[in-house]
Amino acid sequence: MATFQTLPGFREFYPEDLARRNHVFRLWRRTAGAFGFAEYDAPVLEPLELYKAKSGDEIENQLFNFTDKGGREVALRPEMTPTVCRLVGARASALKRPIKWFSIAEFYRYERMQKGRGRCFSQFNADIFGEAGPEAEIELIALLVQCLCGFGLTEQDFYVRLSDRNLWFYYLETLGLDEPRIRAVLGAVDRYEKHGDDAFKGYSEQFGPLASDLKGKILAFLQIKSLDALEQVLAASGGEKLAARLTDWRRLLDGLAAMGLASFIQVDLGVVRGLAYYTGFVFEAFDRKGELRALAGGGRYDDLVEKLGGPALPATGFAIGDMTFALLLEQRGLVPNLVQAADIYCVIGGAAERKAAFADIQALRAAGYRVDYPLKEVAFGKQFKAAAESGARIALIYGTDELAKGVVKLRDLTERSERDVPRDQVLAMVRDSISGQTG
Ligand code: HAM
């Protein structure tokens, strides 16, 4: 007989796995709320055109796309950014600024599989529209840091590498490169950490070898790790544009420092991000040990809303992936035990007692208690074992003798005490017992 397996790179969530994922999503959602972000959602399947030439070659090559029965070219979403630009663009004039939105959703990329990378993964996306200054980046980076710290991670565990595609553009322009060459160099810089010199192959194939003094300058620029060093290199170039940009950098770093986040931030011009639409500050979060792929990535994309048919609207944002994040939490022993225990387990004598129990079970559940009971008649001994295993704090015992006396036995499984409770007071007594228990 044929056996069916999940497709490569797709995940299944058994209850304990889903409890862990829900826990992560719950905390992200709460954190986004604390920062004043509103939640939205959007379709999983989008017109292919939305990603063509907007997200960049890498993502385009990884699309899960097909022609639907109506002949439309469609793709499973590989990321949220083009979609959220469309949503915001369509209502831009009606939305109160700044527009601070977040979502938690699933994405699909036909990637080569490796640790922390799948073909189906979730992201927490947060974006701000309508704010052109670095105040938006301060807000977003603070949110990103808190989304990780909320789980007990610290600056010992992860950091955010901060860079600037805007400055890269200015700098490469001063070196005499035109836009196609600049884009090719940025592609090489993005790959340099992983591939070393091979990263420049694509550039050479397109434009011929990069002059060695030019390459030297580019390699020196990508190794810049502080604002001071950056200012020194750029001092020679001068110009108002550059001076204004350096002021933005100072505002951003000062703001983050005032929030107490300086120890999480590393200036690092080696980050340029692979996605084509970024225009300004870009950032990526990594584990400190450098063992895992990126935890999160983002940046400014001031042209994208307009390119997708909306008004000109500055925008910046980031996404945290759930896979690398889960690996990091596991490595640091920060995954809590999330067994969902019942509050109450009902131990039921026979068919007659079952009727009485059912009325109470329904009332207790309607009051919000987690109540469990054996679906079929089983021996008392087995039921008590099941009650203990369920993690319930209270067992309610519906025996023939009890019901004849008009009572139910309430056994407190934590305190190991028991008493008879009149049938019509079960809900009140349960409430009393549970609120009296700690934890
Ligand atoms: P990205 O860098 O492509 O950015 O993805 C962000 C994060 O999603 C990554 O750092 C990683 O944790 C996770 N991720 C990406 N691809 C995979 C994969 N194949 N398997 C597992 N995890 C993955 C974006 O997607 C941008 N749209 C983020 C953004 C929002 N920029 C502005 N706003």
Side-chain angles (χ1 to χ4, degrees):
M1 214 170 65
T3 55
F4 296 103
Q5 290 177 339
T6 51
L7 291 166
F10 282 73
R11 294 176 294 170
E12 290 166 320
F13 291 88
Y14 282 79
E16 59 271 29
D17 306 323
L18 194 65
R20 243 174 265 143
R21 193 179 82 172
N22 284 344
H23 166 69
V24 169
F25 288 2
R26 207 165 28 240
L27 248 168
W28 282 347
R29 201 166 259 132
R30 198 195 302 159
T31 309
F35 278 72
F37 282 66
E39 188 167 7
Y40 66 94
D41 201 5
V44 169
L45 198 63
E46 290 277 19
L48 177 62
E49 205 52 39
L50 189 61
Y51 307 109
K52 284 222 153 173
K54 311 284 181 344
S55 301
D57 292 349
E58 194 176 322
I59 280 209
E60 213 180 307
N61 293 332
Q62 294 171 344
L63 284 174
F64 275 90
N65 59 306
F66 58 96
T67 313
D68 78 2
K69 292 191 171 105
R72 295 174 202 91
E73 292 293 321
V74 295
L76 287 172
R77 62 183 173 199
E79 58 158 337
M80 194 59 110
T81 313
T83 300
V84 71
C85 284
R86 182 189 60 215
L87 261 74
V88 169
R91 301 231 178 127
S93 54
L95 293 167
K96 249 195 5 236
R97 315 277 174 92
I99 301 155
K100 294 165 56 172
W101 281 14
F102 84 97
S103 65
I104 296 173
E106 198 161 63
F107 299 91
Y108 307 85
R109 295 184 195 176
Y110 201 90
E111 279 214 45
R112 201 167 55 80
M113 253 121 39
Q114 41 192 313
K115 206 172 164 205
R117 282 283 178 277
R119 291 182 176 165
C120 165
F121 54 95
S122 296
Q123 280 184 349
F124 166 87
N125 274 265
D127 294 88
I128 297 183
F129 296 84
E131 175 51 63
E135 289 70 24
E137 276 86 350
I138 296 172
E139 185 79 338
L140 285 161
I141 294 173
L143 171 59
L144 166 58
V145 169
Q146 190 52 39
C147 277
L148 273 60
C149 289
F151 292 82
L153 294 167
T154 69
E155 72 266 28
Q156 316 277 329
D157 299 308
F158 76 95
Y159 68 121
V160 180
R161 299 165 73 188
L162 183 61
S163 178
D164 185 351
R165 270 174 82 101
N166 208 332
L167 266 191
W168 266 105
F169 258 87
Y170 290 153
Y171 185 63
L172 294 175
E173 257 169 26
T174 65
L175 297 181
L177 298 178
D178 59 7
E179 185 168 339
R181 284 180 175 75
I182 291 178
R183 291 201 174 272
V185 166
L186 290 182
V189 171
D190 184 45
R191 288 185 292 272
Y192 187 73
E193 205 163 73
K194 249 203 278 160
H195 301 285
D197 237 25
D198 276 353
F200 287 92
K201 256 193 192 155
Y203 181 95
S204 320
E205 280 163 16
Q206 234 183 317
F207 303 105
L210 197 58
S212 67
D213 64 322
L214 209 60
K215 191 164 166 187
K217 283 186 175 152
I218 290 166
L219 292 182
F221 201 68
L222 75 77
Q223 262 133 34
I224 290 177
K225 295 256 166 23
S226 73
L227 188 55
D228 288 348
L230 187 58
E231 282 176 339
Q232 260 172 31
V233 173
L234 295 174
S237 318
E240 262 174 48
K241 248 162 114 184
L242 272 182
R245 195 60 189 152
L246 289 172
T247 308
D248 282 349
W249 264 91
R250 261 176 248 114
R251 265 160 68 199
L252 175 51
L253 292 178
D254 286 353
L256 290 169
M259 287 207 175
L261 305 178
S263 56
F264 289 96
I265 310 297
Q266 171 69 62
V267 175
D268 187 341
L269 272 286
V271 170
V272 291
R273 307 274 298 138
L275 293 159
Y277 47 66
Y278 290 116
T279 53
F281 286 115
V282 285
F283 47 95
E284 282 188 336
F286 283 89
D287 66 301
R288 281 272 183 204
K289 289 191 184 155
E291 289 170 352
L292 304 170
R293 305 273 318 254
L295 292 158
R300 187 165 276 283
Y301 48 99
D302 283 345
D303 305 332
L304 194 57
V305 177
E306 197 175 10
K307 272 192 187 150
L308 291 167
L313 191 64
T316 175
F318 70 86
I320 311 174
D322 70 329
M323 292 181 70
T324 346
F325 185 65
L327 287 173
L328 183 62
L329 286 186
E330 230 167 81
Q331 274 188 4
R332 300 293 187 279
L334 292 170
V335 182
N337 188 10
L338 293 160
V339 187
Q340 290 262 20
D343 295 315
I344 300 154
Y345 195 94
C346 292
V347 174
I348 306 168
E353 292 76 24
R354 190 162 275 264
K355 278 203 177 144
F358 272 16
D360 289 354
I361 288 169
Q362 191 63 14
L364 286 162
R365 285 175 168 171
Y369 293 104
R370 291 176 62 97
V371 184
D372 230 339
Y373 68 95
L375 291 182
K376 289 267 171 58
E377 273 183 45
V378 236
F380 262 126
K382 276 202 177 146
Q383 292 193 53
F384 282 116
K385 196 163 165 248
E389 283 169 2
S390 76
R393 309 203 248 171
I394 287 174
L396 290 176
I397 302 154
Y398 293 81
T400 322
D401 295 350
E402 282 84 10
L403 291 185
K405 286 191 278 176
V407 300
V408 173
K409 205 173 277 304
L410 187 156
R411 183 179 291 181
D412 190 316
L413 296 170
T414 341
E415 289 173 6
R416 296 173 179 278
S417 60
E418 64 177 29
R419 65 202 150 106
D420 286 345
V421 170
R423 281 283 322 276
D424 58 359
Q425 286 176 35
V426 169
L427 183 57
M429 291 301 167
V430 161
R431 200 170 269 149
D432 255 20
S433 291
I434 288 189
S435 66
Q437 290 179 355
T438 50

